[in-house]
Amino acid sequence: MKRRDFLKISPALSLPFLLNGFPLTASSQSPVLQLLREQTASNGKVLVLIEMSGGNDGLNTLIPLDQYSQLASARGNILIPDTKVLSLNGFPKTGLHPSMGGMQTLYNNGQMNIVQAVSYPNQSYSHFRSTDILFTASASTDYLNTGWLGRSLESNFPGYPTNYPTTDMPDPLAVQIGSQASLVTQCSTINTAVTVTDPNAFNNLVSGSAGVVPDTPYGHELTFLRLIRQQTNSYTAVITNAYNANANLVSYPDNNALASQLKIISRLIKGGLKTPVYVVSHPNSFDTHAQQTDMNDASIGNHANMLAVLSDAMSAFQQDLIAMGISDRVATMTFTEFGRRIKSNDSLGTDHGAGTPVFFFGTNLNPTIIGNNPQIPDAVTPNDQVIMQNDFRSVYYSVLQDWFQLSADQLASVLPTPFTTLPIFKQLALPVKLLSFTGNWVDNKVNLKWEVDKESGIAQYEIQRSDDGTNFVKIGAVSAINTAVKDTYTFTDSSLSKSFYYYRIKIFEQSGTTEFSAVLLLKTNQSSSGMRVNIFPNPVTDWFTVAFENKISGPVTARITDLTGKEIWKQEKEMTDAYNLTFSFASKKPVTGIYIAKLYAKNEEATVKILIK
C-alpha cells in the first residue's frame, strides 16, 4: 500500500486522549480553521457545535400552536397537549416541548435564537448522504470530501505534518469530544483528529513509542501513521494545561453525557485555549421511527428524554460561561441532518423529513425566532414535509461573517457562493465611534494615538500588545472622558525589547460589553522590498486603515473599483515615514458590496479585496 493511499483512509484510525473519561480529539491542519483561530485570537469568538444525529422532529420540539388543529389531524397519536407547551416571550403562537424548561428560561432571558425550517433544495432522506451535505456544505447534487470548517488550501502549510504545532499555531484549531473524527473538520489528505479510546495506546503515542509492529510493508506504513499521530498529539500538553487551569463554577446535571462534554469545553475556553471550534455529540439518536412518545402521554417518552438532555445541558453550560465571565464570546449551535415528516406513523413515530429548527445559544444573539411557523395543510399526506424557509448554508454564512467576522475573500474560501445572512447575532455597536488608531516610534518608545467621536458610557480603553499578532497582553489602560464629542487619547509604550509589535485597543463599556479596535503593526526600520498591505477592519464601514509591511513616505493614493474595474472612489494622502494610513469615506461612501482596493505608493501597487457594509 502506498503511503499516500494509506493516509487517505487514516481518519478512521485516529487516536484521542481522555478528559474525565471522554475521548478528546484535536484537528489542526485546515487553513480555514487556522483563519478562524486567528479571528478568535483577535476577537475571542468561539463556536460550539452540538450534533443531534438521526434527524430531529422539529414539530414536536418547536410547536406551531397556530397550526394545532392541523397537527392534531396529522399526528394526533404523538402530539404534545397544547396546555403543556412552554411559552416563549413575544411569540404566543410558538412554544417549546414541555421537557425543555431550561431552554425556555434561556430564551426568555435573551440567550437563545431559533431559525425556523432549516433545510436545503432537493433534500436527501438518507442519514449518510444528508449528514455529508451538512458537514461539507455542498449542494445536494455535489459530492465533497472536505468539511465546511475544514476546507483546505494545503499549500498554506508546506511540509505538514512535520514540525507542527508551531510557535504561531500552538493550539489545536478544532477540538472534538467523542470517539470519531468528524467530517466537518476533514481536509483532503489527512484528518488529525484521534479516535482510539484505549489510554494505553495514547500513552504509547505521547511517549514517543510507535509500538511493536511487524517488519513488513504494512508494518512500516503503520509505524509512519503512528508517528504522524504522535506529532498531532503534541497538542495534548496545551489542552491539558488549559483544562487544569480552573474549575467549573456551576453544577452540571448527573447522568447527562452531553452536559459532561460541555463541562470540559467551558474549562478549556476559560483556561485560555484559543481554539475557535468545538464539536460535541448528543448521546442519543433522534431517528424516532417508533416509540417517539409514550403511548399514554405524548409529553413524555424517548423524544422528551432526549430534548431534556439537550435543554438541561445547555442551561448548565450557559450558566457556567456567565459565571466564568466568558459568555459574551461563546456561541453554541445545534445541527441535525434533517427533520421529520408532518404525518406520524402507526408506531408512535415519525419518518425522515425536511425542514427543522436550528437553535443558537449565547449572550450576543438576537433573542428572536427567524422565520414563520411551518404551514400545515388541512389534509396531510404521508409524504408532506416541513417546507424549507432557510438554507443551512445561510446559517453557516451568518456564523462565518457575523460571528467570526471573516472577510469576503475568506468567506469565499469556505463557501464560494454567497448566501443571505440571517439576523442571528447582535451587531454590536458600542456607544463610541473609533475614528482612527495610529502610532509611531520615537526615541525607542512607541506613541499610540486614537481619536473617538460620540463617546458615551465607556469605562476605559485597555491597550494591548502582541509579539506575533495573535497573543495579546495588557500593557496599560486609559480612563474614558465621555464628552460625547470628538476626543483624542494617547499612550506611550516604553517597555520595548523587539523591533516590531502589534497593538490594539480593547474598549470597555460601563455595562460590561467589550469590543476591539483594528490591529496596528509598528516597526522600527526595515528596508523596502516590494509593497504589501493589509486593510483593517474588513468588512469596512465608514473608514479603513491601510497597514504597510514597510515604512512609507510620500503620497499614497487609494482607489476603490467595482469588480469590473470601474473606479467609484479615490483619495490621496501624504505619509511621513510611517506604516499606517487611515482613509475615511465621509459623504462619498460606496454602497454595500464587494470591491477592489488599490494602493499606490513609490511607483508600487498593492491590491486587496474588501467588503463595504
Side-chain angles (χ1 to χ4, degrees), residues 259-271:
S260 297
Q261 296 174 65
L262 294 172
K263 184 177 181 180
I264 293 171
I265 288 176
S266 62
R267 289 178 63 169
L268 294 178
I269 299 172
K270 178 62 175 177

Side-chain angles (χ1 to χ4, degrees), residues 66-67 71 147 156 183 201 211 219 248 318 326 371 405 436 451 453 471 486 531:
D66 59 346
Q67 306 290 304
L71 289 173
N156 288 6
L183 178 60
N248 299 103
Q318 274 301 121
I326 56 176
Q405 299 172 340
S436 65
E451 296 178 299
D453 192 13
N471 301 295
K486 289 184 179 181
M531 190 169 74

